[in-house]
Structure formats: structure tokens, C-alpha cells
Amino acid sequence: MSKWSINDARDLYGVQRWGNGYFDINDDGEAVVLLRDGEKEVPVSLQQIIEGLKERGSAMPQLLRFRDLLDRRIEHLNESFRSAISETSYQGEYRGVYPIKVNQQQQVIEEISEFGKKYHYGLEAGSKPELIAALAYMHDPNAYLICNGYKDDEFIDLALRAVEMGIRVILVLEMPSELMAIIERSKALGIRPELGIRFRLSTKSEGHWAESGGDRSVFGLNSSQLIDAVDLLKAEGYLDCLKLFHYHQGSQLPNMRAIREAATEAVQVFVNLAQEGAPMEILDMGGGLAVDYDGSHSNFHSSCNYTLKEYASNLIEVVQKHCDLADIPHPTLVTESGRAIVAYYSVLIFNILDVTKFSHPEEPDAPEKDAHEMLHNLWEIRNRIKVKNLQECFNDALFYRDQVRDLFRLGFVNLRERSIAEKIYWYLCTTIATQTAELEHVPEDLQTLESNLIDFYYANFSVFQSLPDAWAIQQLFPIMPIHKLDQEPTERAILADITCDCDGKIDRFIDQDKVSTYLRVHKREAHEEYNIGAFLVGAYQETLGDLHNLLGDPHVVSVSMENGQLTYTHEVEGDTVADVLSYVEYSPKDLEKRFRGFAENAVQKGTISAKQRKIIMEAYKAGLHGYTYYED
């Protein structure tokens, strides 16, 4: 066998396929993120970052944010459209808009607002709280603040007041009833709005969110409602306010063909609105720009069969062609790309707490001479295992193992003997599984045998809090050890979290040509630190995370390189037990009071001493104000 190399690790975990030039593995076998330091790109070890945080007293798990990657994604998106516009002599502009719902964290909005100024990068708000957050951070008069979602009078008034202050706020009609409400508030305040209309495309989409588009999509106007809105605008003298046409095809669109088809239908509607007399300026093509999570560059739902450059070029081409045919000026193009902007921004790092092994390559001890004959029958199988009789040996092993279990239920075999039988059985299964590779055709029983030998690696995090899409929609995230990568990973594992829930696990992983049911990992010795990273988790995961088992937000830190120095900023401590209990309507003070009363009653009864009560109360208060995750 050839010696294991760093390139083998790169191939196994696909880091150069999904990493997009932002992640790699160094010669020391550690996963690195490439951060800019001035004009240079510097590889920074994730393991080094974690060690630095531990030295500062911060516990695992940790959510690492890299603002440099956020800035570079904004840059790459805008420069891709600039390049496409220049190459095709397109006469309009591009304006990116970030949908706040994808990751509403304050640091994200602040960074996008600051770095995005050079591109007049805007924000999209789909609710009143998002609008209020956006108005506090985005004050560029040349950027768009696009308002989608339901709008009550308070929402509309706030948006109109912002227009009065010089911000380009565009109120997009999602429902027919909204139009009259906006007109009435506009008349009441004496402020003319800038309006957009969201349209339900008939073009079918693809991927997890295909239902976001099409005739049965929840939001947007159909063609009849659209014409009714135009007629109402004409009647009320507000047609000159209609400047934007918007459609949303869905999130994580994997196939460029579907994107082109939707854009073709959309630009035809845009052209017709202009021909109706509306001064159409902006074509908002919504979200959908996908992230290649698995690195396959395919139309699989966790990937995409196009690059960012192709995406921009194709949209420009479609819009330019149909506007030219209709002799309509080229509009300003808007995309509401959220996932593609923030996915790379965050990496979740968690440690492995323990391991349950099912594979047993080492031969166990033989049963005692006076052990039940079924144990000896099971033990004898090891001498008969050959490639030609693997199915027969597996059948026998399964039969005798089950016989031992039946005998245990009846009281003829004790627990120690049952334990010996289980060890022998798993050793036999491991031996049989290793020889199936020599078979031309692997029987069905032996195919499933391999999956039964996958170990559980217990990880210090909650799937439901930090990676909810892995559970809810089977989203694939790149997951790999962040160190020891210069050593061959010989074990196969499912990652079980600490929620004690049967769904609290990750058992689908990126593989070179398929979805794997296990992750290749290294053998973990007792008490050894072993850290694993889940990458590309910046989109939706923090927003959707819940409080399953009352496990709260992990610690968060932003990491950058400045003047050759690794810098930790924006450190946010994860939720304490008191925090999460307060979220579900407990009062930490009341809890402490109740427990103190219970402890005092124990003192009065003589169950514990007053000194013991002091120790117990200190432990209770320490737990109440401690991290919700496992702490050393």
C-alpha cells in the first residue's frame, strides 16, 4: 500500500472541490482557511484557532466567523456581474441585495453594509423587525432597500418615511390587497412610494425549494392580478411609481437551464409592464444562486452545475436579448443572493466526547470451557471463514448470536456470557465484511452488514441548534476532521450529538461520487482531543436553530489576519443555562429560590449539613450560569 499523503486527505474530504479556494489542508495535516492580510492570502490553521480560544478560556463547541470570506463573496458576486456587463456591452447596471432572513446576525448586517458600500450593495427585508434593523445600518442613497413580505400600516409608514429621508426603499407587492393600503398611506403622508410587483412564474423550478416558484407558489401575483394592479395604479395616478418587477424562483437552484427558463419568462413580463406605460427600471431576479456544498458541480440538490461567472453571464444574456427585441432599455439587474454570500462565512467546530465501536478487528478472548455450547459454536465459526462461504458464516453467526440472546431471556446464559457472545459476533462480522471486497457479487445481507459496523462518534453539539437543515431537509454540509489529516483515517463513523434524540445525528456525508452513510475518521484514544469541523454553515443555520434539549447558541468568534497577527474579535459567549431557561419562561431567580428552599428543608431534616448546603448551592448556581454544552 502507498503511503498516506495530504493529497489523499484532500481527495477523501473533497476540500478543494467544495472549498472554492477558501479552505485547504496544510503540510502538518491541519485544515486551514485562507484569509487575506493586506495583499497576501495567509493559510490559518483551524486547529490553531481552537487552541488559541482554549488558552483564552473558551470552551467547545465554537462557531468561527471569517469576515474576510463574507467580503470576498460580495466582491466575487459584484465583479462577476461587472465583468459580464462589460463583455456584452449591457447598458444597465447590477445591484446586489442581501436578504436579511438568511442570517440576521448583527455582525453580518454590519459587515455587509460597510463592505458593500463600494458596490452600493443593498438589503432585503421581509418583516417589520428586519426593516427596522436594515434602516439602522444601510444609509447609502444609491443602494436598494427592498421590502417584501406582509406589510401593515406601521411597516408602510416607516418605509415611506425612509424614502422621505433619501433612502431608496422599494415596497414590493406580494398580495393584491397591499396596493390600496400603500396608496392610502402614501396619500395620508404625502410621500410618493417606489413600488415593485412580485410575480408568480409558471416556469417550474428544481431542487428542495421548487415549490417557491410556479402557479402554486405562496407569494406573488398571477397574470390576472398583475393586470388588475396596473389598472388600479393607472386609475389612482400611481403608475409612475411602479419601477421594479420581482420574481423568486427558489433557494439553492442547482440547474442553470431552469434559471434561464425562469429569466426568459420574467423578462417578457418586465417588457410588457414597460409597454403598459410603467417606467420600469429594475428587474429583481430574486434569490437562488446555489452553493456547491458537495463539490460535485452537478445538478444535485446540494450542488450546482454552474459557476458564479456563468450565472451572471447567463442572466445578462437573457435579459439583454429580450429587451433588445422589444426595444426596451436594459434594466438595472438585482439579485437577492443570500446563501451564496454567507454560506462560507461560518464554520462550526466541535469535539468528540466518546466512541461506541461496532467493528472489532482484534480477536476477542475465547469463551471459558464450561460456557454454554452456543458460545463455543459461535467461536468455532472464525476458523471456517473463507471468501467462498461468507454468506454461510454470516448466517451461522447471526443464528448462534440470537440463540444466546434467547437463552439469556430464559435465564440459561448470564450477562457476562452474553457479553462474550456479542464480542465474538462483532468480530466475526468485521472479519466477514473485510473479505466481501473480494466478491464479484456481494449478497444483500452482506451489503447491509457493512453499515452495521459503522461506529458512533459522540460529538459535543446539537444538530437541531447548529445544523438544523442536516436533519430537516437532509442538507449535505462538508464535514471533516480539522487535524491529524496527515494520518490515514481508518475508522468509519456516524456523528451523534448530545441531545439524546434518535434524530440527533449526522449519517449522510459528502463522498467523491455519492452520498456516504459514514465519515472516515481517525481512531480516537481515550481522552484524546479530536476536533471536527462542519463547513459552509453561514446560511440559515443560526436563524433556524432551536432549543432542543435546551441546548443554546454556541460560543461565536470572528477571526481575521491583521499585520501578520491572528486576531480574535466580536467574541460572543454562547447561551448559559439561565439564558435558555428564560427563553422557555422560567425565571432563573425563582429556580434558585425554589432549590434553595428545598436544600434548606434538607438541612432542617438532617439529610445534609449547612456546610453541605453551601457546596450544593454553589454547584447549582454554577450550573445555572454555565455553558449549555459539555464542559471539561
Side-chain angles (χ1 to χ4, degrees):
M1 294 180 64
S2 59
K3 185 180 179 182
W4 179 262
S5 70
I6 297 300
N7 284 332
D8 292 326
R10 290 187 176 113
D11 289 341
L12 175 62
Y13 297 111
V15 63
Q16 293 184 318
R17 295 190 295 274
W18 53 257
N20 204 31
Y22 305 138
F23 300 99
D24 198 2
I25 301 172
N26 65 20
D27 291 340
D28 294 325
E30 296 176 344
V32 297
V33 56
L34 284 87
L35 300 179
R36 287 190 296 200
D37 185 11
E39 299 298 317
K40 301 182 298 180
E41 273 192 5
V42 181
V44 179
S45 163
L46 299 183
Q47 181 67 11
Q48 178 188 344
I49 293 171
I50 293 301
E51 289 171 356
L53 289 169
K54 288 178 68 177
E55 289 173 0
R56 289 164 171 80
S58 190
M60 298 283 270
Q62 292 277 348
L63 186 70
L64 309 181
R65 292 177 178 160
F66 302 105
R67 65 183 187 186
D68 176 39
L69 301 190
L70 186 60
D71 296 349
R72 283 155 73 181
R73 292 303 293 169
I74 294 172
E75 180 182 287
H76 290 167
L77 176 64
N78 282 271
E79 293 300 332
S80 293
F81 272 96
R82 280 189 177 183
S83 177
I85 286 170
S86 175
E87 289 171 3
T88 58
S89 299
Y90 186 81
Q91 298 304 302
E93 297 181 317
Y94 171 74
R95 288 284 188 273
V97 168
Y98 172 72
I100 296 176
K101 67 182 179 183
V102 179
N103 189 327
Q104 300 113 323
Q105 300 298 319
Q106 180 273 337
Q107 187 184 347
V108 175
I109 304 308
E110 181 179 42
E111 187 69 20
I112 287 174
S113 300
E114 285 299 314
F115 185 82
K117 284 179 181 177
K118 64 186 292 189
Y119 297 109
H120 303 302
Y121 205 78
L123 297 172
E124 182 267 345
S127 68
K128 195 188 307 180
E130 290 183 352
L131 174 61
I132 288 172
L135 289 173
Y137 281 92
M138 202 204 71
H139 304 146
D140 180 356
N142 295 310
Y144 299 132
L145 176 49
I146 294 180
C147 297
N148 293 320
Y150 285 105
K151 308 166 191 69
D152 59 14
D153 286 355
E154 192 172 61
F155 186 120
I156 295 167
D157 285 3
L158 192 57
L160 292 173
R161 294 296 188 189
V163 170
E164 191 175 39
M165 293 193 299
I167 300 176
R168 289 210 67 179
V169 180
I170 302 175
L171 288 163
V172 178
L173 301 181
E174 300 270 6
M175 306 291 290
S177 60
E178 288 183 330
L179 181 53
M180 205 59 229
I182 293 172
I183 291 174
E184 288 174 356
R185 295 312 304 158
S186 170
K187 290 178 178 179
L189 298 178
I191 304 170
R192 300 282 287 185
E194 286 197 275
L195 298 176
I197 291 182
R198 178 170 174 173
F199 184 69
R200 297 181 189 176
L201 297 179
S202 62
T203 303
K204 294 293 184 183
S205 190
E206 296 184 21
H208 275 308
W209 293 273
E211 298 303 316
S212 294
D215 293 331
R216 296 290 297 170
S217 59
V218 175
F219 292 106
L221 280 61
N222 60 32
S223 56
S224 298
Q225 292 168 331
L226 182 59
I227 291 300
D228 289 344
V230 169
D231 290 344
L232 179 58
L233 287 168
K234 288 179 179 179
E236 294 289 335
Y238 273 75
L239 186 63
D240 64 306
C241 297
L242 180 57
K243 298 178 182 179
L244 178 145
F245 175 75
H246 171 49
Y247 70 95
H248 182 66
Q249 196 177 355
S251 182
Q252 184 64 20
L253 300 171
N255 197 337
M256 177 50 67
R257 176 184 55 78
I259 294 172
R260 285 185 63 98
E261 288 177 358
T264 300
E265 180 184 359
V267 72
Q268 291 292 355
V269 181
F270 178 89
V271 164
N272 276 263
L273 287 174
Q275 292 169 342
E276 286 283 336
M280 302 302 292
E281 299 176 9
I282 308 162
L283 177 53
D284 182 348
M285 311 179 93
L289 175 58
V291 170
D292 195 359
Y293 286 97
D294 68 4
S296 65
H297 199 60
S298 68
N299 60 359
F300 182 55
H301 62 75
S302 290
S303 182
C304 54
N305 64 5
Y306 54 90
T307 64
L308 208 163
K309 181 180 179 181
E310 290 174 77
Y311 176 78
S313 297
N314 275 267
L315 291 183
I316 292 290
E317 178 190 337
V318 169
V319 175
Q320 183 176 29
K321 173 184 174 182
H322 291 282
C323 284
D324 286 347
L325 287 172
D327 196 25
I328 295 293
H330 299 167
T332 296
L333 291 185
V334 169
T335 64
E336 299 179 6
S337 301
R339 182 187 302 272
I341 293 298
V342 297
Y344 295 93
Y345 171 61
S346 301
V347 179
L348 177 70
I349 309 293
F350 49 87
N351 54 317
I352 299 300
L353 303 174
D354 210 342
V355 176
T356 292
K357 290 195 64 64
F358 291 92
S359 58
H360 284 275
E362 298 87 12
E363 184 173 284
D365 295 333
E368 299 290 338
K369 287 183 180 181
D370 60 349
H372 197 283
E373 65 173 321
M374 290 300 171
L375 273 75
H376 289 287
N377 291 341
L378 192 62
W379 176 249
E380 182 270 334
I381 294 172
R382 80 195 197 290
N383 296 320
R384 296 192 284 111
I385 297 176
K386 301 287 189 295
V387 173
K388 63 182 181 181
N389 69 347
L390 294 180
Q391 179 73 64
E392 176 189 344
C393 290
F394 175 69
N395 292 341
D396 290 346
L398 188 61
F399 173 78
Y400 290 126
R401 192 278 309 269
D402 289 346
Q403 286 290 301
V404 171
R405 288 181 173 181
D406 289 340
L407 290 165
F408 175 76
R409 294 187 191 100
L410 296 171
F412 295 112
V413 164
N414 63 35
L415 184 59
R416 188 171 295 277
E417 288 176 314
R418 176 176 170 172
S419 171
I420 293 169
E422 299 283 350
K423 288 182 179 179
I424 297 171
Y425 172 76
W426 287 113
Y427 167 70
L428 295 173
C429 289
T430 304
T431 304
I432 292 168
T434 57
Q435 296 193 29
T436 57
E438 299 181 40
L439 295 176
E440 185 174 337
H441 171 71
V442 180
E444 185 176 347
D445 285 343
L446 302 188
Q447 292 176 17
T448 58
L449 177 61
E450 183 176 357
S451 63
N452 291 332
L453 294 170
I454 298 171
D455 300 332
F456 283 122
Y457 272 48
Y458 295 97
N460 190 17
F461 81 111
S462 164
V463 168
F464 308 100
Q465 167 56 234
S466 295
L467 295 173
D469 279 347
W471 164 73
I473 58 170
Q474 288 74 56
Q475 173 70 55
L476 285 177
F477 293 98
I479 297 175
M480 59 182 281
I482 64 167
H483 57 148
K484 298 181 70 172
L485 296 166
D486 54 346
Q487 305 170 36
E488 184 173 5
T490 57
E491 313 299 299
R492 301 174 307 156
I494 288 171
L495 299 178
D497 71 7
I498 61 173
T499 60
C500 300
D501 190 298
C502 60
D503 283 342
K505 64 185 178 187
I506 300 178
D507 56 4
R508 299 174 76 256
F509 301 93
I510 293 166
D511 200 0
Q512 292 170 322
D513 56 359
K514 63 183 185 303
V515 177
S516 176
T517 57
Y518 59 84
L519 178 69
R520 288 275 299 277
V521 293
H522 302 88
K523 185 175 181 180
R524 179 183 176 274
E525 303 298 336
H527 308 298
E528 177 191 22
E529 178 186 282
Y530 192 60
N531 297 325
I532 289 179
F535 295 76
L536 279 61
V537 301
Y540 293 105
Q541 302 319 293
E542 289 183 76
T543 298
L544 297 176
D546 66 16
L547 290 175
H548 197 290
N549 276 92
L550 297 182
L551 292 166
D553 290 337
H555 296 315
V556 179
V557 63
S558 182
V559 182
S560 60
M561 286 294 295
E562 297 178 14
N563 300 317
Q565 192 77 21
L566 186 60
T567 304
Y568 300 88
T569 56
H570 292 88
E571 290 186 63
V572 180
E573 289 195 3
D575 286 333
T576 65
V577 173
D579 291 333
V580 297
L581 287 172
S582 66
Y583 300 156
V584 288
E585 301 179 10
Y586 291 94
S587 164
K589 288 185 177 180
D590 180 60
L591 291 171
E592 188 177 331
K593 176 183 176 182
R594 286 171 173 267
F595 188 76
R596 184 183 295 109
F598 173 63
E600 181 57 28
N601 284 337
V603 173
Q604 297 301 322
K605 292 176 182 179
T607 307
I608 61 173
S609 68
K611 186 175 290 186
Q612 287 173 316
R613 194 201 96 154
K614 178 176 180 287
I615 295 170
I616 292 169
M617 284 306 303
E618 286 174 350
Y620 187 83
K621 287 189 282 187
L624 188 61
H625 298 287
Y627 201 18
T628 61
Y629 294 93
Y630 180 88
E631 297 180 274
D632 291 333

